[in-house]
Amino acid sequence: MSLTVQELFQKLSYGELSNLHMGAEGTGTIDESKIPSVILYANEALLKLHSRFILIEKDLNLELFSHITNYHFLNRYTESRREQYNTRYPYIKDLINERFDEDLIRVLTVTDKYGKTLPLNDSANPLSVFTPQPRTLQVPRPVTGMSLAVQYQARHPKLKGEDPDELIDIPDTLEVALTAYIAYNVFCTIATPESTAKAQEHLAKYEATCMEVENKDLVSTSVSGTNSRFEKNGWA
């Protein structure tokens, strides 16, 4: 379910980038000067894959205030950073050792402290909450002290590329899509007719791999965190 940055470099060097100087001519490494570019493309590919598939699912807890209807999923509104930002109403109740880090892609479900799932984006239901923007939860009738649990689709942590053993959390079935999309970006930057055609080949390979994974339902959600923090914070 995961590979290291070094293993990613090996796959690219032996595979998609084997004929390029960037791929060290297929020797199993990436040219040192090109590592930042490869990491940049890898992060872009990981964001696309984690947006297309629910690969990481997390949760956070919100404490509501009657005068706030729009709750923005930003670090400045977290309990763990209230002093850093001098935030008066830190409604994201995270923990110092379990910080929310603006990794939300989209809200999946919202439940109250009793475990009841609230309608989401249902304008015909008076109990519904809404997502007018991907990183904003709108609660039309908030009650001070009321708490909600938000389960969300999360992005992959950004790779830094400084540690060859840095882990990339992705299913084996999507590794081909990951390397294909990185190669697509690499060949796009070369900007020759041949490289443009090669880029399109890699993009087609990326799309075909994703379609196969979708059609065969080859990925399962990795759940990180539960709603048990309601109890840990005394909200149950």
Side-chain angles (χ1 to χ4, degrees), residues 49 52-53 172-177 203-219:
L49 290 170
R52 184 163 183 165
F53 302 95
D172 297 344
T173 51
L174 287 175
E175 287 182 9
V176 170
L203 185 60
K205 185 177 182 180
Y206 164 84
E207 184 61 32
T209 302
C210 289
M211 288 293 294
E212 180 181 13
V213 170
E214 288 174 338
N215 292 336
K216 295 183 179 180
D217 194 22
L218 297 178
V219 297

Side-chain angles (χ1 to χ4, degrees), residues 32-44:
E32 188 173 351
S33 66
K34 300 299 183 181
I35 287 178
S37 295
V38 173
I39 292 298
L40 176 68
Y41 300 148
N43 280 324
E44 183 178 335

Side-chain angles (χ1 to χ4, degrees), residues 25-126:
E25 310 296 342
T27 60
T29 60
I30 295 295
D31 181 84
E32 188 173 351
S33 66
K34 300 299 183 181
I35 287 178
S37 295
V38 173
I39 292 298
L40 176 68
Y41 300 148
N43 280 324
E44 183 178 335
L46 286 169
L47 180 57
K48 285 187 70 68
L49 290 170
H50 282 73
S51 298
R52 184 163 183 165
F53 302 95
I54 304 177
L55 301 177
I56 302 177
E57 185 179 329
K58 294 185 179 180
D59 76 302
L60 59 81
N61 291 329
L62 292 180
E63 181 178 353
L64 305 185
F65 296 90
S66 60
H67 65 288
I68 301 175
T69 55
N70 289 327
Y71 294 82
H72 305 286
F73 301 115
L74 301 172
N75 288 341
R76 66 172 52 253
Y77 299 113
T78 61
E79 181 70 38
S80 65
R81 296 178 177 87
R82 66 180 305 171
E83 293 184 3
Q84 176 184 347
Y85 292 102
N86 194 27
T87 303
R88 187 175 181 182
Y89 300 102
Y91 44 72
I92 299 176
K93 297 302 178 179
D94 62 349
L95 306 172
I96 293 295
N97 60 347
E98 195 176 344
R99 289 184 171 185
F100 174 72
D101 197 27
E102 295 186 359
D103 59 350
L104 183 146
I105 294 176
R106 69 183 176 100
V107 172
L108 299 174
T109 62
V110 180
T111 57
D112 63 21
K113 68 177 183 179
Y114 304 108
K116 181 180 179 180
T117 301
L118 301 181
L120 186 62
N121 295 320
D122 184 355
S123 58
N125 194 316

